[in-house]
Amino acid sequence: MHSEKGKLLVTPYQDKILSLLIKDNRLLSANAFPKEGSLLNSIYIGKVTNVVTNIDAAFVEIFPGQICFLPLAESKNARLTNRSFDGRLIAGDEIVVQVVREAVKTKQPVLSANLSFTGTYCVVTTGEKRLGFSAKLNETEKAALKKYVSAMKDSINREKFGYVIRTNSRELSGNYQVLKEEMLSLTDKAESLLKTAEHKTCYSRLWEGADSYLDGVRLVYQSDYDEIITDDKEIYEVLCRSGICTERVRFYEDARLPLQKLYSVETKLSEALSKNVWLKSGGYLVIEPTEALTAIDVNTGKSVADRNAEEHYFKINLEAAEEIAVQLKLRNISGMILVDFINMKSKEKETRLLARLKELLKKDGVRTSVIDITGLGLVEITRKKINKPLAEQLKAGGERRS
């Protein structure tokens, strides 16, 4: 018997805070956040140190010693505090920017001049002044939401801000008052910040990103869990104040059986970082991350083919496709991924396998695409980089916050 929804655990672990989605005793998504020191989502008035046109980027110092990378494509709607923006950035400009990606290995944090204020049901942006909808919402849901938001035109500033309605809004079941309140609240915050920026000096921090684990909680669709459970009193209070499914938040306090023991967190994390992943059929995946790409090899393992070997291999490949979709999300694998499925002679089965893989990857909250099969028979996948891989999240220390 499978449960309908999972449990979202938010718990301290070593020097991190974990956000774990567990369903039917399986870990489906995991993120580790520094307890303190993350720059993510913070907004600063930074100083442009130099503009490098051949890579279409500028380097911006957000506080003394912290240089960040700003793609010029992310500066189209820039707000400068030292002069009027004329479409160009020059060294010495003082610019309002938001940290949208943390530093990864030798790469600096990434910035955007398109500011985002994220809530549970919507995002308010200073970039494109349009009304957008999550691709996960169906056409009926989008039409109902569009009609509701359009009727709010006197309450929100559609000329100054863009609004994106998130997937979680479907949980409101047509009762959109909570969405309206959130849109108004985030609009007020955005307007207040932009007004404040006009009177602040360079290197001022205008907005401190919320506790980073809250972003991790917001990234999980509310339809995937029926409870948020934490065993930390401070985290419990922050979650209750955050407005994220407050009625589903539960404080766990059984000293005889700690939360992490109850859900075998240590074991599940160890499995999520393992090179080999076993399949029910007896086959297994070998997942090898490298600097340039991630290679996934599908093996027959302990499975034994009957007389119809081709059908047997097809079944293992289908099971592998399902597991690959889980592992990409769980390990937060991004960039180029090459999958070496078990070779099949049948082109028809190969086509069916690819179609199934595409169908599974469409459900990923992060944009993931099956590109093609290479000349060597490898399936090429790309997955947008949103965060560090899980292994790196668990290893990396916090960044300095000024």
Side-chain angles (χ1 to χ4, degrees):
M1 178 71 71
H2 292 291
S3 66
E4 281 187 18
K5 294 186 179 180
K7 308 294 180 189
L8 187 60
L9 271 54
V10 185
T11 180
Y13 179 81
Q14 297 172 2
D15 62 339
K16 306 285 189 297
I17 293 175
L18 299 177
S19 170
L20 309 171
L21 177 63
I22 297 174
K23 183 177 179 181
D24 298 324
N25 203 33
R26 281 211 67 185
L27 183 59
L28 296 183
S29 74
N31 283 288
F33 303 93
K35 283 186 177 173
E36 55 183 277
S38 173
L39 296 173
L40 196 63
N41 293 324
S42 293
I43 298 173
Y44 292 85
I45 299 176
K47 179 169 282 188
V48 177
T49 58
N50 62 319
V51 179
V52 187
T53 51
N54 63 337
I55 60 168
D56 289 324
F59 291 92
V60 179
E61 189 175 42
I62 57 173
F63 53 79
Q66 180 61 72
I67 303 292
C68 301
F69 182 84
L70 173 66
L72 293 182
E74 291 292 326
S75 67
K76 288 176 183 173
N77 296 288
R79 280 167 173 76
L80 305 182
T81 59
N82 62 312
R83 66 181 180 92
S84 297
F85 183 57
D86 58 4
R88 300 174 305 128
L89 282 184
I90 56 177
D93 274 344
E94 296 178 6
I95 181 173
V96 181
V97 286
Q98 184 170 34
V99 181
V100 294
R101 194 181 301 165
E102 293 183 284
V104 178
K105 296 181 181 174
T106 58
K107 295 179 180 177
Q108 295 112 326
V110 177
L111 303 174
S112 176
N114 174 15
L115 313 179
S116 292
F117 301 82
T118 302
T120 305
Y121 304 105
C122 75
V123 180
V124 176
T125 74
T126 62
E128 281 192 69
K129 315 301 189 294
R130 65 182 186 88
L131 178 62
F133 297 89
S134 162
K136 305 291 179 184
L137 295 168
N138 63 41
E139 292 307 314
T140 304
E141 290 166 334
K142 287 179 186 177
L145 284 158
K146 187 174 183 179
K147 183 178 178 182
Y148 181 82
V149 174
S150 296
M152 288 174 58
K153 60 185 178 184
D154 294 332
S155 306
I156 56 177
N157 196 332
R158 291 282 298 277
E159 292 178 7
K160 195 171 183 180
F161 301 108
Y163 296 85
V164 180
I165 309 302
R166 304 187 65 203
T167 308
N168 283 332
S169 59
R170 65 158 51 118
E171 297 293 305
L172 299 174
S173 304
N175 182 13
Y176 298 137
Q177 182 62 28
V178 177
L179 170 63
K180 179 179 180 178
E181 289 168 3
E182 185 173 84
M183 291 178 79
L184 293 174
S185 171
L186 292 175
T187 300
D188 285 346
K189 286 176 181 175
E191 285 184 321
S192 173
L193 181 139
L194 293 178
K195 202 169 286 183
T196 301
E198 296 171 7
H199 311 289
K200 290 287 186 176
T201 58
C202 191
Y203 303 137
S204 295
R205 184 173 64 195
L206 306 172
W207 177 276
E208 183 176 2
D211 292 289
S212 51
Y213 64 85
L214 285 179
D215 293 316
V217 171
R218 285 191 178 103
L219 284 173
V220 182
Y221 297 141
Q222 290 181 6
S223 55
D224 286 343
Y225 61 85
D226 55 17
E227 261 190 322
I228 304 173
I229 309 171
T230 184
D231 53 352
D232 182 278
K233 195 71 178 172
E234 188 177 333
I235 292 174
Y236 174 73
E237 288 169 358
V238 170
L239 286 168
C240 287
R241 289 197 303 268
S242 70
I244 305 172
C245 271
T246 306
E247 71 284 354
R248 297 192 206 173
V249 179
R250 177 162 69 90
F251 181 57
Y252 182 89
E253 47 185 339
D254 187 343
R256 295 166 301 171
L257 182 60
L259 183 66
Q260 293 182 23
K261 288 284 185 191
L262 176 64
Y263 285 94
S264 308
V265 167
E266 194 85 42
T267 302
K268 285 180 170 65
L269 286 176
S270 176
E271 289 170 353
L273 300 175
S274 174
K275 178 178 170 180
N276 294 348
V277 179
W278 286 95
L279 306 174
K280 288 178 183 174
S281 61
Y284 66 97
L285 308 178
V286 179
I287 302 176
E288 294 266 23
T290 71
E291 196 71 33
L293 54 83
T294 300
I296 302 178
D297 193 27
V298 182
N299 295 279
T300 54
K302 300 172 185 174
S303 69
V304 180
D306 53 19
R307 291 177 187 174
N308 191 343
E310 184 82 354
E311 188 63 30
H312 179 69
Y313 296 151
F314 179 54
K315 285 179 180 174
I316 295 176
N317 280 337
L318 283 177
E319 187 186 357
E322 300 227 5
E323 190 59 40
I324 286 164
V326 170
Q327 294 296 325
L328 294 185
K329 187 175 180 182
L330 171 58
R331 297 172 187 238
N332 202 25
I333 297 170
S334 58
M336 179 71 70
I337 300 135
L338 290 180
V339 182
D340 188 6
F341 284 103
I342 301 166
N343 289 335
M344 299 181 295
K345 295 174 185 174
S346 166
K347 285 292 177 189
E348 183 262 343
K349 282 186 167 57
E350 186 179 89
T351 301
R352 284 167 59 193
L353 173 63
L354 273 185
R356 178 61 178 151
L357 182 62
K358 288 177 182 177
E359 182 187 338
L360 290 162
L361 295 179
K362 267 185 188 173
K363 298 174 185 175
D364 196 326
V366 175
R367 190 168 71 243
T368 308
S369 306
V370 179
I371 305 301
D372 207 350
I373 298 183
T374 69
L376 295 173
L378 303 174
V379 175
E380 192 179 348
I381 300 170
T382 61
R383 189 170 187 266
K384 186 179 178 184
K385 186 169 187 64
I386 297 293
N387 201 352
K388 298 174 186 176
L390 178 61
E392 212 172 302
Q393 289 180 40
L394 288 166
K395 265 191 279 183
E399 293 178 33
R400 174 186 167 191
R401 176 182 276 173
S402 177

